[in-house]
Amino acid sequence: MSRCAWCGRPIIWIRGPDGKKMPIENGFTPYKRHDGKGWSNKLYTGAGGVIRCIILPEDRADEADGFAHMFHICPKKPSYHRPRPLTRREKFKAQYE
């Protein structure tokens, strides 16, 4: 487990279906299996499998078919032209270089 560099939320890294590493939320999200009609979401298993489903709110978790991880989307991540914030160790090293 690690933390997001921008918002600090706990995330885990898995290999997605295409083999690339991807960040997912550490907590589980309740879902209901997709019936084939309308719009659906993607959730991920810890092994990198994909589940097409409808995400349920927390208050309807008792109706869920299961729980899986959601892709991590950081609300505080800046646009791509900005670098990530420096860690404390990197700031310390930069002072003495």
Side-chain angles (χ1 to χ4, degrees):
M1 185 185 82
S2 60
R3 295 203 173 268
C4 176
W6 291 277
C7 67
R9 291 194 328 220
I11 56 175
I12 53 178
W13 293 86
I14 63 165
R15 294 230 180 255
D18 58 355
K20 295 180 182 176
K21 287 182 114 181
M22 58 187 278
I24 58 174
E25 296 287 341
N26 192 27
F28 288 109
T29 303
Y31 70 86
K32 194 122 179 104
R33 289 275 176 195
H34 184 54
D35 59 2
K37 302 174 192 166
W39 192 73
S40 69
N41 301 99
K42 283 186 193 179
L43 293 181
Y44 300 90
T45 64
V50 178
I51 301 169
R52 302 285 297 174
C53 59
I54 298 168
I55 295 175
L56 298 175
E58 290 294 326
D59 59 340
R60 290 182 50 199
D62 56 336
E63 302 172 31
D65 290 339
F67 295 84
H69 298 283
M70 189 182 321
F71 184 76
H72 176 69
I73 299 172
C74 182
K76 295 183 178 180
K77 183 177 179 181
S79 60
Y80 286 104
H81 65 279
R82 287 192 192 154
R84 69 170 175 76
L86 295 176
T87 62
R88 285 182 22 202
R89 177 175 285 167
E90 291 168 337
K91 287 178 188 174
F92 182 79
K93 285 176 80 176
Q95 287 178 350
Y96 296 102
E97 288 181 350

